[in-house]
Amino acid sequence: MAELKRLEPIEAAKQFIFKHFPNCKGALLAGSVVRGEATDTSDLDIVVFDDSLISSFRESLIDFGWAIEVFAHNLNSYQYFFKSDYESARPSLPRMISEGIILVDKGVIQSIKKEAKQLLEKGPEKWCEETIRMKRYFITDALDDLIGSLNKNEELFIVNTLAQITHEFVLRTNGHWVGDSKWIVRSLNHYNEQFSKEFVEAFDTFYKTGNKDKVIQIVDKVLEPYGGRLFDGFSLGKNKLN
């Protein structure tokens, strides 16, 4: 028997909604296929709004020839995730809704899209001076570990930590959303493509050669406008009795 041809993304998504959520108030197709960045392993990210649902849920399944990730919400539950994403500075759901292609809309999608767009444009909550100081200390601590390390195996994971916390620092101090995994580079590109190139090159050089110099330089470059490395005088949770 001949293998069935996989449906086009939008058609597959529409048929999925018709099959699994025929009475939903709205649905969107988001993710890499919408952004034109799909690969052979890409799935369909589908956001559904169904007021019959008691609570939100996420589900992964295969249907219509696609791996499908479903993010299902009622007409109130999505707001919890908007708030959570805002607080973590990782706007996963607002981004999906803002960029999503409308599959179904029974009068609810446009207002939710507007909420998502407004949140994305607002940007994450600004860090206070105390938070910046604390983050400087922990970046300095990891950087000192890298500089002093003589163990190549340990250095791999120290550098991983440095990449994560340094990208967070530069983006949050400049009022930008942060990311995880592939979204680290995407978020850095959105902030400043030249800096992103330097950042990637520094860590790539380490992974290829073991040379730490460019990593040290890029971390110091990020910290410098805020006072540079911090160790002496840092205190966390110290209280005194009157």
Side-chain angles (χ1 to χ4, degrees):
M1 181 180 293
E3 183 178 351
L4 293 176
K5 183 179 179 181
R6 185 162 75 166
L7 295 177
E8 290 298 311
I10 294 177
E11 182 60 27
K14 286 181 176 179
Q15 291 201 27
F16 176 85
I17 293 299
F18 182 75
K19 176 181 177 182
H20 295 278
F21 298 93
N23 299 313
C24 71
K25 292 294 186 181
L28 298 158
L29 173 63
S32 58
V33 297
V34 170
R35 294 190 300 271
E37 300 169 350
T39 67
D40 290 341
T41 59
S42 292
D43 55 19
L44 299 183
D45 293 327
I46 299 177
V47 185
V48 178
F49 298 95
D50 189 330
D51 59 359
S52 70
L53 299 178
I54 296 174
S55 61
S56 299
F57 70 87
R58 176 175 176 171
E59 188 172 27
S60 303
L61 62 159
I62 295 176
D63 210 350
F64 300 105
W66 285 89
I68 297 174
E69 292 273 7
V70 184
F71 303 85
H73 300 273
N74 59 41
L75 298 181
N76 295 306
S77 63
Y78 73 91
Q79 293 175 343
Y80 167 83
F81 290 89
F82 274 21
K83 182 175 183 293
S84 176
D85 286 0
Y86 174 73
E87 291 172 350
S88 70
R90 291 168 171 80
S92 176
L93 183 60
R95 186 179 282 127
M96 283 196 291
I97 292 172
S98 177
E99 72 184 12
I101 294 173
I102 297 174
L103 303 171
V104 175
D105 185 11
K106 298 177 181 177
V108 302
I109 293 295
Q110 292 300 338
S111 63
I112 298 174
K113 268 184 164 287
K114 183 178 179 180
E115 286 182 64
K117 183 179 179 182
Q118 289 174 339
L119 187 149
L120 290 171
E121 291 175 347
K122 179 181 179 181
E125 185 176 7
K126 186 178 180 180
W127 273 356
C128 65
E129 290 300 320
E130 182 180 354
T131 297
I132 292 174
R133 184 174 169 82
M134 179 180 67
K135 298 292 186 176
R136 281 173 59 206
Y137 171 79
F138 286 116
I139 291 173
T140 301
D141 186 54
L143 186 60
D144 285 344
D145 281 346
L146 178 65
I147 292 169
S149 175
L150 299 175
N151 186 313
K152 295 296 183 183
N153 295 332
E154 292 179 356
E155 287 172 7
L156 287 172
F157 297 96
I158 296 170
V159 166
N160 287 349
T161 297
L162 270 173
Q164 179 68 44
I165 61 181
T166 303
H167 116 276
E168 178 194 41
F169 188 90
V170 71
L171 292 178
R172 292 301 303 273
T173 53
N174 284 280
H176 283 258
W177 303 105
V178 300
D180 289 311
S181 187
K182 62 189 178 185
W183 277 99
I184 290 179
V185 175
R186 292 176 182 181
S187 298
L188 287 171
N189 283 334
H190 188 264
Y191 159 63
N192 185 310
E193 289 187 1
Q194 180 58 40
F195 175 82
S196 179
K197 182 179 178 180
E198 294 174 13
F199 188 91
V200 170
E201 182 183 357
F203 287 91
D204 189 43
T205 296
F206 170 81
Y207 289 125
K208 287 178 177 177
T209 69
N211 189 299
K212 309 173 187 179
D213 291 348
K214 287 188 176 181
V215 171
I216 296 168
Q217 291 166 11
I218 198 75
V219 173
D220 278 334
K221 179 178 180 178
V222 167
L223 292 178
E224 192 274 332
Y226 301 90
R229 302 182 199 180
L230 175 63
F231 178 82
D232 188 30
F234 177 77
S235 178
L236 187 64
K238 182 179 180 180
N239 292 302
K240 290 183 178 181
L241 294 174
N242 293 329

